[in-house]
Amino acid sequence: MKFTVFCVSGQLTRCIRCPVAYHANDYCIPAGSVTLTDSNIVCPNHFTPRKGCRNHEHVNVSWCFVCSEGGSLLCCESCPAAFHRECLNIDMPEGSWYCNDCRAGKKPHYKEVVWVKVGRYRWWPAEVSNPKDVPENILRMRHDVGEFPVLFFGSNDYLWTYQARVFPYMEGDANSKEKMGKGVDSTYKKALEEAAVRFKELQAEKELRQLQEDRRNHKKPPPYKHIKVNKPIGKVLIISADLSEIPRCNCKATDENPCGMDSECINRMLLYECHPQVCPAGERCQNQCFTKRQYCQVEIFRTLSRGWGLRCVHDIKKGGFVNEYVGEVIDEEECRARIKHAQENNIGNFYMLTLDKDRIIDAGPKGNEARFMNHSCQPNCETQKWTVNGDTRVGLFALTDIPAGTELTFNYNLECLGNGKTVCKCGASNCSGFLGVRPKNNPPSDDKSRKMKKKSQMKRKSQQQVIKEREDECFSCGDGGQVVSCKRPGCPKVYHADCLNLTKRPAGQSWNSLKHGSLTDHKVNSDIINEVHT
């Protein structure tokens, strides 16, 4: 029998019902697997939902995983993921449809933070627990192949659930209004805070483990061909200007720093590089960094959380030329073909940078050290397009003084590809959370900004006095639909009748007395606690 191996090397444990195999450790074996022996398991692909079990019903989110908006959604048949067809840029599929992660066999794992749906209640953050680590009374609860226990943050309750009712927690989710809904009680706020802290802890553990594994295996950066200048592909042309067309600056060879960073060289100001045969400063010209490849000394290194990166070996002054971004120069048609090939083969790394409206630099197959520079929402370098010998070239320049040993970064301004946002792991204080999303604004520091902030706060305070009459989403589960509203004056809360365990919509003042009498928010929470079982 042929086995599908989802890991690279090491001792494997195999499913006895289908041809899948995993490393025999808690990091690789998917949650919900039943261990039979050291080398045999029953994988969660063989889960069968029980009829009548509420928590065995498949549920999808009510927003798109790409743009976070609602509307008409394409829902995955295996997990809660949902997307706009337009966001995926695909035709409407016929029959069952599965997202990229499910098609690739991705499953929840132990010691992973996830969002869990319980009944009609809102999505709640929890950690996937290993059955051998849960209390005995939880272990004795009925559960089947494919189910795994989760520990809810905030309440510390347990529940057995499965893949179709959980999706991965991502950095920044604690502030996501799609997960929080309209009404947030103290227990839920506590859960969000605990989830954010635990997520960072588990990420740090995972990154350190990966770094140690790479060092132990002497892992090297992915292969590529090193080139010094851009290489045109296909019909793309590299422009070369006549000497008579190259602009001449007014610098002199007798100047202290002719054509230097502190000079008044008109070519440098206009991002034109001087030509050695045209510049009046001759051999003393300091504006020929691209031609002479006057790069800063750098080294490739393994980062904790962002794969391979680039750092400087010596200090770099603000405005200094760091490196040129070089690679294969392709046209738009070739670019689309390469992106399509990458998506079909689950290739997640892109090294494409727009040169002009007709040409793109792809440093993936061929390039130099600059291809290893990571993204940051608060970068220390920036890209500049210079005209060198009549053609456009891209250089990386320091935005600030950079001490030796510092990682070099620039803002990718990435256009998101595929069926999901790419999480940003730059760690900057203004990090947007995702690549391609505008970074958060830095807090104002000068007096004028403080006055403007104070003025905006006063304006915001006056706007807050206008209270919305009714919420649009259920205060219990956070979803829209047909709801009943509270009759008490000033209370904006609305609920699904099912979330209140009502068999019919209440009439008159009956629900008003229930809501503000015996049926409080704490009663709703206790219903959840009873269901998940402590």
Side-chain angles (χ1 to χ4, degrees), residues 37 92 99 114 138 256 261 292 338 364 489 513 516 527 533:
T37 65
M92 183 61 69
C99 67
V114 294
I138 304 300
E256 184 178 353
M261 288 199 316
K292 295 181 178 180
R338 292 189 179 190
S513 60
H516 292 279
D527 291 340
H533 189 81

Side-chain angles (χ1 to χ4, degrees), residues 5 32 43 55 65 85-86 182 191 282 341 376 380 477 504 510:
V5 181
C43 75
N55 281 320
F65 267 25
R85 181 186 60 80
E86 297 78 10
K182 295 289 184 178
H341 175 266
S376 176
N380 51 23
C477 69
K504 62 180 181 178
S510 59

Side-chain angles (χ1 to χ4, degrees), residues 65-86:
F65 267 25
V66 175
C67 69
S68 300
E69 299 295 331
S72 179
L73 298 170
L74 184 61
C75 298
C76 178
E77 299 283 345
S78 183
C79 75
F83 304 89
H84 291 123
R85 181 186 60 80
E86 297 78 10

Side-chain angles (χ1 to χ4, degrees), residues 156-327:
N156 293 326
D157 298 319
Y158 281 95
L159 173 74
W160 287 87
T161 187
Y162 76 115
Q163 182 181 1
R165 298 185 71 88
V166 304
F167 67 90
Y169 179 100
M170 299 177 71
E171 192 168 0
D173 273 1
N175 299 319
S176 176
K177 66 179 181 180
E178 291 84 13
K179 317 297 186 308
M180 293 172 62
K182 295 289 184 178
V184 180
D185 54 36
S186 58
T187 306
Y188 195 61
K189 286 182 179 179
K190 181 183 177 183
L192 295 176
E193 293 171 358
E194 291 180 358
V197 173
R198 182 57 175 161
F199 178 78
K200 289 183 178 180
E201 291 177 354
L202 293 175
Q203 282 294 99
E205 290 179 11
K206 181 179 178 180
E207 291 157 5
L208 183 59
R209 188 169 61 249
Q210 182 64 52
L211 183 61
Q212 292 172 343
E213 183 70 20
D214 291 344
R215 287 175 177 172
R216 186 163 50 247
N217 296 332
H218 302 288
K219 190 172 182 179
K220 296 181 179 180
Y224 74 101
K225 185 176 181 180
H226 185 89
I227 57 176
K228 296 181 179 180
V229 294
N230 289 327
K231 298 291 184 182
I233 300 296
K235 300 178 183 179
V236 176
L237 298 176
I238 298 296
I239 303 169
S240 182
D242 188 85
L243 290 180
S244 61
E245 300 173 347
I246 296 175
R248 180 187 178 97
C249 66
N250 296 322
C251 300
K252 300 177 183 178
T254 55
D255 292 344
E256 184 178 353
N257 293 303
C259 309
M261 288 199 316
D262 300 327
S263 69
E264 296 182 358
C265 176
I266 188 66
N267 277 0
R268 181 179 282 274
M269 292 178 184
L270 297 175
L271 303 186
Y272 278 89
E273 184 168 282
C274 296
H275 193 282
Q277 297 180 27
V278 175
C279 183
E283 294 181 356
R284 295 199 64 214
C285 174
Q286 298 180 21
N287 185 29
Q288 298 176 26
C289 299
F290 286 86
T291 303
K292 295 181 178 180
R293 301 192 192 102
Q294 296 172 339
Y295 306 150
C296 294
Q297 189 176 352
V298 295
E299 64 178 356
I300 302 167
F301 75 106
R302 180 75 179 183
T303 68
L304 272 178
S305 60
R306 287 162 291 127
W308 297 96
L310 197 69
R311 61 187 172 200
C312 55
V313 175
H314 55 76
D315 296 344
I316 303 175
K317 290 185 178 181
K318 180 179 179 179
F321 180 61
V322 178
N323 211 325
E324 180 183 2
Y325 197 90
V326 301

Side-chain angles (χ1 to χ4, degrees), residues 27-46:
Y27 303 117
C28 295
I29 295 178
S33 300
V34 176
T35 302
L36 303 177
T37 65
D38 291 342
S39 58
N40 292 311
I41 62 170
V42 178
C43 75
N45 288 330
H46 307 287

Side-chain angles (χ1 to χ4, degrees), residues 360-402:
I360 297 100
I361 299 176
D362 184 5
K366 298 178 182 179
N368 62 5
E369 293 88 350
R371 71 193 293 279
F372 290 100
M373 288 182 66
N374 282 316
H375 163 86
S376 176
C377 294
Q378 197 169 9
N380 51 23
C381 296
E382 67 173 352
T383 57
Q384 294 180 8
K385 292 183 179 180
W386 283 61
T387 302
V388 183
N389 197 23
D391 202 0
T392 304
R393 290 170 58 181
V394 178
L396 292 151
F397 293 80
L399 285 170
T400 183
D401 292 339
I402 306 175

